[in-house]
Amino acid sequence: EIPRPAYLAPGVLKDMRTGLPRHPFMYAAEVKTPEQIAAMRKACALAREALLVAKSIVAPGATTDDIDSAVHEFIVSRGAYPSPLGYMDFPKSVSTSVNDVIAHGIPDDRVLQDGDILNVDVTVFVDGHHGDTSCMFVVGTPDAAGLKLCQTAQLATLEGIE
């Protein structure tokens, strides 16, 4: 059986202020050990690979359920757990936000259309650590405004990293 995050265990207490599952470092920073950092890098590398699986599905006519299924199968085939699945009752393995959905959209049978803008957010849990990443995809051929939005967001992200 694939190890699951602690927040999926029965009886996990919720924080009264936020409603989120409690954990020891909820209100304080944890200084990671070199071993923890290495494990986090491994988890993040797997999340990146899973995002490439999502990318391979993105096309007009595909559904966000198609993306979720493919990414789910990939993650569990690698002995990892898709972190969103079951978190705060989230029913899917990735989140997919189409067009004006800001974040954490739930995959469904919506058919992607030419020109849609899609964000796919992937988080994996492996060896006791989460790896989280997301990417914005343009489905088919974008209109000028959609392309400009994606380019500007990518530039802003890169500037923020600098």
Side-chain angles (χ1 to χ4, degrees):
E1 180 167 307
I2 295 172
R4 295 173 183 228
Y7 54 76
L8 293 175
V12 169
L13 298 175
K14 303 241 172 151
D15 180 73
M16 298 212 26
R17 188 169 25 172
T18 65
L20 298 173
R22 275 197 200 163
H23 58 85
F25 298 99
M26 191 153 207
Y27 297 106
E30 176 186 16
V31 177
K32 303 290 187 191
T33 66
E35 294 79 19
Q36 288 173 309
I37 293 169
M40 290 169 61
R41 288 184 191 281
K42 177 183 174 183
C44 289
L46 181 60
R48 173 70 174 135
E49 286 183 64
L51 197 57
L52 293 175
V53 170
K55 179 182 180 182
S56 74
I57 306 296
V58 174
T63 68
T64 54
D65 264 341
D66 296 336
I67 294 165
D68 180 73
S69 294
V71 172
H72 177 90
E73 289 303 317
F74 173 79
I75 292 169
V76 298
S77 77
R78 295 307 221 37
Y81 187 83
S83 300
L85 185 59
Y87 181 74
M88 303 291 292
D89 297 323
F90 194 82
K92 298 290 184 159
S93 295
V94 300
S95 64
T96 54
S97 304
V98 183
N99 297 330
D100 59 348
V101 176
I102 295 173
H104 303 135
I106 299 172
D108 59 19
D109 61 358
R110 180 195 191 285
V111 176
L112 296 173
Q113 303 295 317
D114 189 57
D116 280 344
I117 297 172
L118 170 70
N119 185 68
V120 178
D121 190 341
V122 175
T123 309
V124 304
F125 181 75
V126 63
D127 295 339
H129 291 82
H130 296 276
D132 187 355
T133 189
S134 73
C135 189
M136 188 71 69
F137 300 102
V138 177
V139 180
T141 307
D143 62 19
L147 183 59
K148 178 76 171 165
L149 173 67
C150 290
Q151 290 171 333
T152 303
Q154 185 176 28
L155 287 173
T157 299
L158 294 174
E159 285 295 318
I161 292 169
E162 287 298 315

Short mmCIF file of all heavy atoms in Angstrom, two decimals, residues 52-122:
data_model
loop_
_atom_site.label_atom_id
_atom_site.label_comp_id
_atom_site.label_asym_id
_atom_site.label_seq_id
_atom_site.Cartn_x
_atom_site.Cartn_y
_atom_site.Cartn_z
N LEU A 52 4.35 16.86 -16.65
CA LEU A 52 4.61 16.56 -18.06
C LEU A 52 3.60 15.54 -18.60
O LEU A 52 3.22 15.61 -19.78
CB LEU A 52 6.05 16.06 -18.25
CG LEU A 52 7.13 17.10 -17.97
CD1 LEU A 52 8.52 16.46 -18.06
CD2 LEU A 52 7.02 18.28 -18.92
N VAL A 53 3.15 14.63 -17.74
CA VAL A 53 2.09 13.70 -18.15
C VAL A 53 0.83 14.50 -18.44
O VAL A 53 0.16 14.28 -19.47
CB VAL A 53 1.84 12.64 -17.05
CG1 VAL A 53 0.58 11.83 -17.36
CG2 VAL A 53 3.05 11.74 -16.89
N ALA A 54 0.50 15.45 -17.57
CA ALA A 54 -0.68 16.30 -17.80
C ALA A 54 -0.54 17.04 -19.12
O ALA A 54 -1.48 17.08 -19.93
CB ALA A 54 -0.84 17.30 -16.65
N LYS A 55 0.63 17.60 -19.36
CA LYS A 55 0.87 18.35 -20.61
C LYS A 55 0.60 17.49 -21.83
O LYS A 55 0.05 17.98 -22.83
CB LYS A 55 2.31 18.86 -20.62
CG LYS A 55 2.67 19.62 -21.87
CD LYS A 55 4.12 20.06 -21.84
CE LYS A 55 4.46 20.82 -23.11
NZ LYS A 55 5.87 21.23 -23.13
N SER A 56 0.95 16.21 -21.76
CA SER A 56 0.77 15.33 -22.91
C SER A 56 -0.70 15.10 -23.25
O SER A 56 -1.02 14.69 -24.36
CB SER A 56 1.48 13.99 -22.68
OG SER A 56 0.77 13.19 -21.75
N ILE A 57 -1.60 15.37 -22.30
CA ILE A 57 -3.04 15.14 -22.51
C ILE A 57 -3.73 16.42 -22.99
O ILE A 57 -4.76 16.36 -23.67
CB ILE A 57 -3.71 14.68 -21.20
CG1 ILE A 57 -3.01 13.46 -20.61
CG2 ILE A 57 -5.19 14.40 -21.39
CD1 ILE A 57 -3.05 12.22 -21.44
N VAL A 58 -3.19 17.58 -22.65
CA VAL A 58 -3.85 18.85 -22.95
C VAL A 58 -4.00 19.05 -24.46
O VAL A 58 -3.01 19.13 -25.19
CB VAL A 58 -3.08 20.03 -22.33
CG1 VAL A 58 -3.71 21.37 -22.77
CG2 VAL A 58 -3.06 19.92 -20.82
N ALA A 59 -5.25 19.09 -24.91
CA ALA A 59 -5.56 19.31 -26.33
C ALA A 59 -7.06 19.56 -26.45
O ALA A 59 -7.84 19.11 -25.60
CB ALA A 59 -5.18 18.09 -27.17
N PRO A 60 -7.48 20.26 -27.51
CA PRO A 60 -8.92 20.39 -27.71
C PRO A 60 -9.56 19.00 -27.79
O PRO A 60 -9.01 18.08 -28.41
CB PRO A 60 -9.02 21.11 -29.06
CG PRO A 60 -7.72 21.86 -29.19
CD PRO A 60 -6.70 20.96 -28.55
N GLY A 61 -10.67 18.83 -27.08
CA GLY A 61 -11.38 17.56 -27.07
C GLY A 61 -11.10 16.71 -25.85
O GLY A 61 -11.88 15.82 -25.51
N ALA A 62 -9.97 16.94 -25.19
CA ALA A 62 -9.68 16.21 -23.94
C ALA A 62 -10.52 16.81 -22.83
O ALA A 62 -10.99 17.95 -22.93
CB ALA A 62 -8.20 16.32 -23.61
N THR A 63 -10.70 16.05 -21.76
CA THR A 63 -11.40 16.58 -20.59
C THR A 63 -10.42 16.73 -19.44
O THR A 63 -9.35 16.09 -19.43
CB THR A 63 -12.56 15.66 -20.14
OG1 THR A 63 -12.01 14.44 -19.63
CG2 THR A 63 -13.53 15.38 -21.28
N THR A 64 -10.82 17.53 -18.46
CA THR A 64 -9.97 17.65 -17.27
C THR A 64 -9.98 16.33 -16.49
O THR A 64 -8.99 16.01 -15.82
CB THR A 64 -10.40 18.84 -16.41
OG1 THR A 64 -11.79 18.74 -16.09
CG2 THR A 64 -10.13 20.15 -17.13
N ASP A 65 -11.03 15.53 -16.60
CA ASP A 65 -11.03 14.18 -16.02
C ASP A 65 -9.96 13.30 -16.67
O ASP A 65 -9.33 12.49 -16.00
CB ASP A 65 -12.40 13.50 -16.17
CG ASP A 65 -13.29 13.64 -14.95
OD1 ASP A 65 -12.77 13.93 -13.85
OD2 ASP A 65 -14.50 13.44 -15.10
N ASP A 66 -9.78 13.44 -17.99
CA ASP A 66 -8.74 12.69 -18.69
C ASP A 66 -7.37 13.00 -18.09
O ASP A 66 -6.55 12.10 -17.87
CB ASP A 66 -8.70 13.03 -20.19
CG ASP A 66 -9.95 12.64 -20.95
OD1 ASP A 66 -10.69 11.73 -20.50
OD2 ASP A 66 -10.20 13.26 -22.01
N ILE A 67 -7.14 14.28 -17.85
CA ILE A 67 -5.86 14.72 -17.27
C ILE A 67 -5.70 14.14 -15.88
O ILE A 67 -4.66 13.57 -15.54
CB ILE A 67 -5.78 16.25 -17.25
CG1 ILE A 67 -5.76 16.79 -18.69
CG2 ILE A 67 -4.56 16.74 -16.46
CD1 ILE A 67 -6.04 18.27 -18.80
N ASP A 68 -6.74 14.26 -15.06
CA ASP A 68 -6.70 13.75 -13.69
C ASP A 68 -6.40 12.25 -13.68
O ASP A 68 -5.55 11.78 -12.92
CB ASP A 68 -8.02 14.03 -12.98
CG ASP A 68 -8.04 13.53 -11.56
OD1 ASP A 68 -7.38 14.15 -10.70
OD2 ASP A 68 -8.69 12.50 -11.30
N SER A 69 -7.07 11.49 -14.51
CA SER A 69 -6.88 10.03 -14.54
C SER A 69 -5.46 9.65 -14.93
O SER A 69 -4.84 8.79 -14.30
CB SER A 69 -7.86 9.37 -15.52
OG SER A 69 -9.18 9.52 -15.07
N ALA A 70 -4.94 10.29 -15.96
CA ALA A 70 -3.58 9.98 -16.43
C ALA A 70 -2.55 10.33 -15.37
O ALA A 70 -1.61 9.55 -15.11
CB ALA A 70 -3.30 10.72 -17.74
N VAL A 71 -2.69 11.48 -14.75
CA VAL A 71 -1.74 11.90 -13.73
C VAL A 71 -1.85 11.01 -12.50
O VAL A 71 -0.84 10.61 -11.91
CB VAL A 71 -1.92 13.39 -13.38
CG1 VAL A 71 -1.06 13.79 -12.19
CG2 VAL A 71 -1.59 14.26 -14.59
N HIS A 72 -3.06 10.66 -12.10
CA HIS A 72 -3.26 9.77 -10.96
C HIS A 72 -2.53 8.44 -11.20
O HIS A 72 -1.78 7.97 -10.33
CB HIS A 72 -4.75 9.51 -10.72
CG HIS A 72 -5.01 8.55 -9.62
ND1 HIS A 72 -5.18 8.94 -8.31
CD2 HIS A 72 -5.09 7.18 -9.62
CE1 HIS A 72 -5.37 7.88 -7.55
NE2 HIS A 72 -5.32 6.79 -8.32
N GLU A 73 -2.76 7.84 -12.35
CA GLU A 73 -2.12 6.56 -12.66
C GLU A 73 -0.61 6.68 -12.64
O GLU A 73 0.08 5.79 -12.14
CB GLU A 73 -2.61 6.03 -14.02
CG GLU A 73 -4.04 5.56 -14.01
CD GLU A 73 -4.33 4.49 -12.97
OE1 GLU A 73 -3.51 3.55 -12.81
OE2 GLU A 73 -5.37 4.59 -12.29
N PHE A 74 -0.08 7.76 -13.18
CA PHE A 74 1.37 7.95 -13.19
C PHE A 74 1.91 8.06 -11.76
O PHE A 74 2.89 7.41 -11.42
CB PHE A 74 1.74 9.22 -13.98
CG PHE A 74 3.19 9.55 -13.87
CD1 PHE A 74 4.13 8.86 -14.63
CD2 PHE A 74 3.63 10.52 -13.00
CE1 PHE A 74 5.48 9.14 -14.52
CE2 PHE A 74 4.98 10.81 -12.86
CZ PHE A 74 5.91 10.12 -13.64
N ILE A 75 1.26 8.87 -10.94
CA ILE A 75 1.75 9.09 -9.57
C ILE A 75 1.76 7.79 -8.78
O ILE A 75 2.77 7.43 -8.16
CB ILE A 75 0.91 10.18 -8.85
CG1 ILE A 75 1.15 11.55 -9.49
CG2 ILE A 75 1.22 10.21 -7.36
CD1 ILE A 75 0.18 12.63 -9.03
N VAL A 76 0.66 7.05 -8.79
CA VAL A 76 0.62 5.82 -8.00
C VAL A 76 1.54 4.75 -8.59
O VAL A 76 2.07 3.92 -7.84
CB VAL A 76 -0.82 5.29 -7.80
CG1 VAL A 76 -1.66 6.30 -7.03
CG2 VAL A 76 -1.48 4.91 -9.09
N SER A 77 1.79 4.79 -9.90
CA SER A 77 2.72 3.82 -10.49
C SER A 77 4.15 4.04 -9.99
O SER A 77 4.98 3.16 -10.07
CB SER A 77 2.70 3.90 -12.02
OG SER A 77 3.42 5.02 -12.50
N ARG A 78 4.41 5.22 -9.48
CA ARG A 78 5.72 5.56 -8.93
C ARG A 78 5.77 5.39 -7.42
O ARG A 78 6.72 5.80 -6.76
CB ARG A 78 6.09 7.00 -9.30
CG ARG A 78 6.27 7.26 -10.79
CD ARG A 78 7.23 6.29 -11.39
NE ARG A 78 8.20 6.72 -12.33
CZ ARG A 78 8.90 7.82 -12.42
NH1 ARG A 78 8.74 8.78 -11.57
NH2 ARG A 78 9.78 8.00 -13.35
N GLY A 79 4.73 4.80 -6.83
CA GLY A 79 4.72 4.56 -5.39
C GLY A 79 4.44 5.79 -4.56
O GLY A 79 4.73 5.82 -3.36
N ALA A 80 3.86 6.79 -5.17
CA ALA A 80 3.54 8.05 -4.47
C ALA A 80 2.02 8.18 -4.35
O ALA A 80 1.26 7.44 -4.97
CB ALA A 80 4.13 9.23 -5.22
N TYR A 81 1.61 9.15 -3.55
CA TYR A 81 0.19 9.42 -3.36
C TYR A 81 -0.12 10.82 -3.89
O TYR A 81 0.63 11.77 -3.63
CB TYR A 81 -0.17 9.36 -1.86
CG TYR A 81 -1.65 9.47 -1.61
CD1 TYR A 81 -2.47 8.36 -1.71
CD2 TYR A 81 -2.23 10.70 -1.32
CE1 TYR A 81 -3.83 8.46 -1.50
CE2 TYR A 81 -3.60 10.81 -1.11
CZ TYR A 81 -4.39 9.68 -1.21
OH TYR A 81 -5.75 9.80 -1.02
N PRO A 82 -1.21 11.00 -4.64
CA PRO A 82 -1.60 12.33 -5.10
C PRO A 82 -2.16 13.15 -3.94
O PRO A 82 -3.28 12.90 -3.48
CB PRO A 82 -2.65 12.06 -6.18
CG PRO A 82 -3.16 10.68 -5.88
CD PRO A 82 -2.09 9.95 -5.14
N SER A 83 -1.39 14.10 -3.45
CA SER A 83 -1.70 14.82 -2.21
C SER A 83 -3.10 15.45 -2.16
O SER A 83 -3.72 15.45 -1.09
CB SER A 83 -0.65 15.91 -1.96
OG SER A 83 0.62 15.35 -1.82
N PRO A 84 -3.62 16.02 -3.24
CA PRO A 84 -4.95 16.64 -3.13
C PRO A 84 -6.07 15.65 -2.84
O PRO A 84 -7.07 16.02 -2.23
CB PRO A 84 -5.16 17.29 -4.50
CG PRO A 84 -3.80 17.46 -5.06
CD PRO A 84 -3.01 16.30 -4.55
N LEU A 85 -5.92 14.40 -3.27
CA LEU A 85 -6.99 13.41 -3.15
C LEU A 85 -7.34 13.17 -1.68
O LEU A 85 -6.55 12.63 -0.92
CB LEU A 85 -6.57 12.10 -3.82
CG LEU A 85 -7.64 11.01 -3.88
CD1 LEU A 85 -8.87 11.49 -4.64
CD2 LEU A 85 -7.06 9.75 -4.52
N GLY A 86 -8.52 13.63 -1.29
CA GLY A 86 -8.99 13.47 0.08
C GLY A 86 -8.67 14.63 1.00
O GLY A 86 -9.21 14.72 2.09
N TYR A 87 -7.80 15.55 0.57
CA TYR A 87 -7.49 16.70 1.42
C TYR A 87 -8.69 17.62 1.49
O TYR A 87 -9.17 18.10 0.47
CB TYR A 87 -6.27 17.46 0.89
CG TYR A 87 -5.89 18.64 1.76
CD1 TYR A 87 -5.27 18.45 2.98
CD2 TYR A 87 -6.20 19.93 1.36
CE1 TYR A 87 -4.95 19.53 3.79
CE2 TYR A 87 -5.87 21.02 2.16
CZ TYR A 87 -5.25 20.81 3.37
OH TYR A 87 -4.93 21.88 4.17
N MET A 88 -9.20 17.83 2.70
CA MET A 88 -10.39 18.67 2.91
C MET A 88 -11.53 18.21 1.99
O MET A 88 -12.25 19.03 1.42
CB MET A 88 -10.07 20.15 2.69
CG MET A 88 -8.95 20.69 3.56
SD MET A 88 -9.37 20.80 5.30
CE MET A 88 -10.58 22.10 5.27
N ASP A 89 -11.62 16.91 1.79
CA ASP A 89 -12.65 16.26 0.95
C ASP A 89 -12.50 16.54 -0.54
O ASP A 89 -13.45 16.32 -1.31
CB ASP A 89 -14.06 16.62 1.42
CG ASP A 89 -14.34 16.11 2.82
OD1 ASP A 89 -13.87 15.01 3.16
OD2 ASP A 89 -15.00 16.84 3.59
N PHE A 90 -11.32 16.99 -0.99
CA PHE A 90 -11.12 17.21 -2.43
C PHE A 90 -11.21 15.85 -3.12
O PHE A 90 -10.54 14.89 -2.71
CB PHE A 90 -9.75 17.86 -2.70
CG PHE A 90 -9.62 18.40 -4.09
CD1 PHE A 90 -10.14 19.63 -4.42
CD2 PHE A 90 -8.95 17.67 -5.07
CE1 PHE A 90 -10.02 20.14 -5.72
CE2 PHE A 90 -8.82 18.17 -6.36
CZ PHE A 90 -9.36 19.40 -6.69
N PRO A 91 -12.04 15.74 -4.19
CA PRO A 91 -12.33 14.42 -4.75
C PRO A 91 -11.40 13.92 -5.85
O PRO A 91 -11.59 12.81 -6.35
CB PRO A 91 -13.74 14.62 -5.32
CG PRO A 91 -13.74 16.05 -5.77
CD PRO A 91 -12.91 16.78 -4.72
N LYS A 92 -10.41 14.71 -6.24
CA LYS A 92 -9.57 14.32 -7.38
C LYS A 92 -8.10 14.38 -7.02
O LYS A 92 -7.72 14.83 -5.94
CB LYS A 92 -9.86 15.25 -8.57
CG LYS A 92 -11.29 15.20 -9.08
CD LYS A 92 -11.59 13.88 -9.77
CE LYS A 92 -13.00 13.89 -10.35
NZ LYS A 92 -13.17 12.90 -11.38
N SER A 93 -7.26 13.94 -7.96
CA SER A 93 -5.82 13.83 -7.73
C SER A 93 -5.03 15.07 -8.13
O SER A 93 -3.90 15.25 -7.71
CB SER A 93 -5.27 12.61 -8.46
OG SER A 93 -5.83 11.44 -7.91
N VAL A 94 -5.59 15.89 -9.00
CA VAL A 94 -4.98 17.17 -9.38
C VAL A 94 -6.07 18.22 -9.36
O VAL A 94 -7.25 17.90 -9.29
CB VAL A 94 -4.34 17.12 -10.80
CG1 VAL A 94 -3.26 16.07 -10.88
CG2 VAL A 94 -5.37 16.92 -11.89
N SER A 95 -5.68 19.47 -9.42
CA SER A 95 -6.69 20.50 -9.65
C SER A 95 -6.46 21.09 -11.03
O SER A 95 -5.33 21.19 -11.49
CB SER A 95 -6.69 21.57 -8.56
OG SER A 95 -5.49 22.28 -8.54
N THR A 96 -7.56 21.39 -11.69
CA THR A 96 -7.51 21.93 -13.05
C THR A 96 -8.40 23.16 -13.09
O THR A 96 -9.60 23.08 -12.81
CB THR A 96 -8.00 20.90 -14.08
OG1 THR A 96 -9.30 20.43 -13.70
CG2 THR A 96 -7.04 19.71 -14.18
N SER A 97 -7.82 24.29 -13.42
CA SER A 97 -8.56 25.55 -13.44
C SER A 97 -8.61 26.06 -14.87
O SER A 97 -7.57 26.37 -15.46
CB SER A 97 -7.89 26.56 -12.52
OG SER A 97 -7.78 26.00 -11.22
N VAL A 98 -9.80 26.10 -15.43
CA VAL A 98 -9.99 26.49 -16.83
C VAL A 98 -10.48 27.93 -16.91
O VAL A 98 -11.44 28.31 -16.22
CB VAL A 98 -11.00 25.55 -17.53
CG1 VAL A 98 -11.14 25.92 -19.01
CG2 VAL A 98 -10.57 24.09 -17.39
N ASN A 99 -9.79 28.72 -17.73
CA ASN A 99 -10.16 30.09 -18.03
C ASN A 99 -10.32 30.94 -16.77
O ASN A 99 -9.34 31.26 -16.13
CB ASN A 99 -11.39 30.13 -18.93
CG ASN A 99 -11.11 29.50 -20.29
OD1 ASN A 99 -9.98 29.54 -20.77
ND2 ASN A 99 -12.11 28.89 -20.89
N ASP A 100 -11.55 31.32 -16.40
CA ASP A 100 -11.73 32.26 -15.30
C ASP A 100 -11.82 31.60 -13.92
O ASP A 100 -12.09 32.27 -12.93
CB ASP A 100 -12.97 33.12 -15.54
CG ASP A 100 -14.25 32.32 -15.69
OD1 ASP A 100 -14.16 31.09 -15.84
OD2 ASP A 100 -15.33 32.92 -15.66
N VAL A 101 -11.57 30.30 -13.83
CA VAL A 101 -11.49 29.64 -12.53
C VAL A 101 -10.12 29.99 -11.95
O VAL A 101 -9.10 29.70 -12.56
CB VAL A 101 -11.67 28.11 -12.64
CG1 VAL A 101 -11.47 27.44 -11.29
CG2 VAL A 101 -13.04 27.79 -13.22
N ILE A 102 -10.10 30.64 -10.79
CA ILE A 102 -8.85 31.17 -10.26
C ILE A 102 -7.91 30.07 -9.80
O ILE A 102 -6.72 30.08 -10.13
CB ILE A 102 -9.13 32.17 -9.12
CG1 ILE A 102 -9.85 33.38 -9.70
CG2 ILE A 102 -7.85 32.59 -8.43
CD1 ILE A 102 -10.33 34.37 -8.67
N ALA A 103 -8.39 29.13 -9.00
CA ALA A 103 -7.50 28.09 -8.47
C ALA A 103 -8.31 26.91 -7.98
O ALA A 103 -9.48 27.03 -7.61
CB ALA A 103 -6.66 28.65 -7.32
N HIS A 104 -7.66 25.77 -7.94
CA HIS A 104 -8.18 24.53 -7.35
C HIS A 104 -9.51 24.08 -7.93
O HIS A 104 -10.38 23.58 -7.20
CB HIS A 104 -8.25 24.65 -5.83
CG HIS A 104 -6.92 24.98 -5.23
ND1 HIS A 104 -6.75 25.93 -4.26
CD2 HIS A 104 -5.68 24.51 -5.50
CE1 HIS A 104 -5.47 26.02 -3.96
NE2 HIS A 104 -4.80 25.17 -4.69
N GLY A 105 -9.64 24.21 -9.25
CA GLY A 105 -10.82 23.67 -9.92
C GLY A 105 -10.82 22.16 -9.84
O GLY A 105 -9.77 21.52 -9.82
N ILE A 106 -12.00 21.58 -9.80
CA ILE A 106 -12.14 20.12 -9.70
C ILE A 106 -12.31 19.55 -11.11
O ILE A 106 -13.22 19.94 -11.83
CB ILE A 106 -13.34 19.75 -8.81
CG1 ILE A 106 -13.13 20.31 -7.40
CG2 ILE A 106 -13.55 18.24 -8.79
CD1 ILE A 106 -14.33 20.18 -6.49
N PRO A 107 -11.42 18.61 -11.49
CA PRO A 107 -11.56 18.00 -12.82
C PRO A 107 -12.94 17.36 -12.99
O PRO A 107 -13.51 16.80 -12.06
CB PRO A 107 -10.46 16.93 -12.83
CG PRO A 107 -9.44 17.44 -11.86
CD PRO A 107 -10.25 18.11 -10.78
N ASP A 108 -13.44 17.45 -14.23
CA ASP A 108 -14.74 16.87 -14.54
C ASP A 108 -14.79 16.52 -16.02
O ASP A 108 -13.76 16.44 -16.68
CB ASP A 108 -15.88 17.80 -14.11
CG ASP A 108 -15.82 19.18 -14.78
OD1 ASP A 108 -15.15 19.33 -15.83
OD2 ASP A 108 -16.46 20.11 -14.26
N ASP A 109 -16.00 16.36 -16.55
CA ASP A 109 -16.14 15.94 -17.95
C ASP A 109 -16.19 17.12 -18.93
O ASP A 109 -16.52 16.94 -20.09
CB ASP A 109 -17.37 15.05 -18.11
CG ASP A 109 -18.67 15.75 -17.73
OD1 ASP A 109 -18.65 16.92 -17.29
OD2 ASP A 109 -19.73 15.11 -17.84
N ARG A 110 -15.82 18.30 -18.45
CA ARG A 110 -15.77 19.47 -19.33
C ARG A 110 -14.76 19.23 -20.45
O ARG A 110 -13.62 18.86 -20.20
CB ARG A 110 -15.35 20.71 -18.55
CG ARG A 110 -15.28 21.98 -19.38
CD ARG A 110 -14.51 23.06 -18.63
NE ARG A 110 -14.62 24.35 -19.24
CZ ARG A 110 -13.99 24.72 -20.34
NH1 ARG A 110 -13.24 23.86 -20.99
NH2 ARG A 110 -14.12 25.94 -20.82
N VAL A 111 -15.18 19.43 -21.67
CA VAL A 111 -14.31 19.23 -22.83
C VAL A 111 -13.51 20.52 -23.07
O VAL A 111 -14.08 21.61 -23.15
CB VAL A 111 -15.13 18.86 -24.08
CG1 VAL A 111 -14.24 18.76 -25.31
CG2 VAL A 111 -15.88 17.55 -23.85
N LEU A 112 -12.20 20.38 -23.16
CA LEU A 112 -11.35 21.55 -23.42
C LEU A 112 -11.55 22.02 -24.85
O LEU A 112 -11.63 21.21 -25.78
CB LEU A 112 -9.88 21.20 -23.18
CG LEU A 112 -9.53 20.84 -21.74
CD1 LEU A 112 -8.08 20.34 -21.65
CD2 LEU A 112 -9.75 22.02 -20.81
N GLN A 113 -11.64 23.34 -25.00
CA GLN A 113 -11.88 23.95 -26.30
C GLN A 113 -10.62 24.65 -26.80
O GLN A 113 -9.79 25.09 -26.00
CB GLN A 113 -13.01 24.99 -26.18
CG GLN A 113 -14.31 24.44 -25.64
CD GLN A 113 -14.95 23.43 -26.55
OE1 GLN A 113 -15.00 23.62 -27.77
NE2 GLN A 113 -15.43 22.33 -25.98
N ASP A 114 -10.50 24.79 -28.08
CA ASP A 114 -9.40 25.53 -28.68
C ASP A 114 -9.38 26.94 -28.09
O ASP A 114 -10.40 27.62 -28.07
CB ASP A 114 -9.58 25.59 -30.20
CG ASP A 114 -8.37 26.15 -30.89
OD1 ASP A 114 -7.28 25.59 -30.72
OD2 ASP A 114 -8.52 27.17 -31.60
N GLY A 115 -8.22 27.35 -27.58
CA GLY A 115 -8.07 28.68 -27.02
C GLY A 115 -8.26 28.76 -25.51
O GLY A 115 -7.99 29.80 -24.90
N ASP A 116 -8.74 27.68 -24.88
CA ASP A 116 -8.87 27.69 -23.42
C ASP A 116 -7.50 27.88 -22.77
O ASP A 116 -6.48 27.48 -23.32
CB ASP A 116 -9.44 26.36 -22.90
CG ASP A 116 -10.94 26.23 -23.03
OD1 ASP A 116 -11.63 27.26 -23.24
OD2 ASP A 116 -11.44 25.09 -22.92
N ILE A 117 -7.52 28.48 -21.60
CA ILE A 117 -6.32 28.59 -20.77
C ILE A 117 -6.56 27.68 -19.57
O ILE A 117 -7.59 27.76 -18.91
CB ILE A 117 -6.09 30.04 -20.32
CG1 ILE A 117 -5.83 30.93 -21.54
CG2 ILE A 117 -4.92 30.12 -19.34
CD1 ILE A 117 -5.79 32.41 -21.23
N LEU A 118 -5.60 26.80 -19.32
CA LEU A 118 -5.76 25.78 -18.29
C LEU A 118 -4.57 25.77 -17.35
O LEU A 118 -3.42 25.72 -17.79
CB LEU A 118 -5.87 24.40 -18.97
CG LEU A 118 -5.80 23.17 -18.07
CD1 LEU A 118 -7.06 23.07 -17.21
CD2 LEU A 118 -5.61 21.92 -18.91
N ASN A 119 -4.84 25.83 -16.05
CA ASN A 119 -3.79 25.63 -15.07
C ASN A 119 -3.98 24.25 -14.47
O ASN A 119 -5.09 23.88 -14.08
CB ASN A 119 -3.83 26.68 -13.95
CG ASN A 119 -2.65 26.52 -13.02
OD1 ASN A 119 -1.51 26.74 -13.40
ND2 ASN A 119 -2.91 26.08 -11.81
N VAL A 120 -2.90 23.48 -14.42
CA VAL A 120 -2.92 22.18 -13.78
C VAL A 120 -1.97 22.25 -12.58
O VAL A 120 -0.81 22.64 -12.72
CB VAL A 120 -2.47 21.06 -14.74
CG1 VAL A 120 -2.47 19.71 -14.03
CG2 VAL A 120 -3.37 21.01 -15.97
N ASP A 121 -2.49 21.89 -11.41
CA ASP A 121 -1.73 21.92 -10.17
C ASP A 121 -1.55 20.47 -9.71
O ASP A 121 -2.53 19.75 -9.53
CB ASP A 121 -2.49 22.73 -9.12
CG ASP A 121 -1.68 23.02 -7.88
OD1 ASP A 121 -0.67 22.35 -7.63
OD2 ASP A 121 -2.08 23.94 -7.14
N VAL A 122 -0.29 20.06 -9.55
CA VAL A 122 0.05 18.69 -9.18
C VAL A 122 0.82 18.72 -7.87
O VAL A 122 1.78 19.48 -7.73
CB VAL A 122 0.93 18.04 -10.27
CG1 VAL A 122 1.40 16.66 -9.82
CG2 VAL A 122 0.21 17.96 -11.60
#
